[in-house]
Amino acid sequence: MVDITRTQEGEYEVIKIIGEVDASSSIELDNAINEAVSGGGKKFLVDCTSLDYISSAGLGVFMSYIEEFKKQNIHLILFGLNKKVANVFEILGLDQLLNIEENKVEAQAKLG
C-alpha cells in the first residue's frame, strides 16, 4: 500500500512516497509524476524517507521518464532512500541514471 502526496515548495514540487511501491501501486506513482509534469513544472524532489519498499514495477516508473525528462530539461531528484531501497537502485545501476541525494538539503542544493 502506498500514499503519495504532492506539495509545492517555492519553485519546485515535492512528491512524497509513503509505504510500498509494488506492481499494483506503481500506477499511483506514475500518475503522480505524470500529473506533476503535466502541470508545467521543471523541478521535482521525490521524498523517499518513508518509502519502505520498491519493486521492479516501481523502478520502471522512474526509468520510463529518464529520456523524456532529458528532452524537456526537467530535473527530478530522489532523496532519503533507506539502505534497502538504495541498494536496489544501486544493484540495477539506476543510481547512475537518476539523481539521488542523501537528504532534502542536498537535493535542494542540487536543484539550484
Side-chain angles (χ1 to χ4, degrees):
M1 185 143 130
V2 71
D3 184 31
I4 300 172
T5 59
R6 295 174 39 217
T7 54
Q8 193 68 36
E9 292 187 15
E11 62 183 41
Y12 57 86
E13 185 170 332
V14 177
I15 301 168
K16 182 173 178 76
I17 307 171
I18 302 166
E20 300 181 354
V21 178
D22 57 20
S24 61
S25 62
S26 65
I27 296 164
E28 293 177 54
L29 176 60
D30 188 38
N31 289 340
I33 294 172
N34 191 34
E35 288 171 13
V37 171
S38 296
K42 295 286 186 184
K43 295 181 178 183
F44 303 94
L45 296 180
V46 180
D47 182 348
C48 299
T49 55
S50 299
L51 175 61
D52 300 322
Y53 168 83
I54 189 162
S55 71
S56 58
L59 295 169
V61 171
F62 289 114
M63 291 171 53
S64 71
Y65 285 99
I66 291 172
E67 288 303 315
E68 179 183 344
F69 285 0
K70 283 182 185 177
K71 288 178 188 172
Q72 296 186 29
N73 198 30
I74 294 172
H75 303 280
L76 181 128
I77 301 175
L78 290 80
F79 72 91
L81 283 70
N82 67 38
K83 288 185 189 266
K84 183 172 77 174
V85 172
N87 192 40
V88 173
F89 278 82
E90 289 168 14
I91 288 170
L92 297 174
L94 293 178
D95 59 324
Q96 303 299 312
L97 299 173
L98 298 167
N99 290 313
I100 301 173
E101 296 296 328
E102 284 287 318
N103 55 52
K104 188 174 184 178
V105 173
E106 291 176 14
Q108 289 169 318
K110 195 160 190 178
L111 275 182

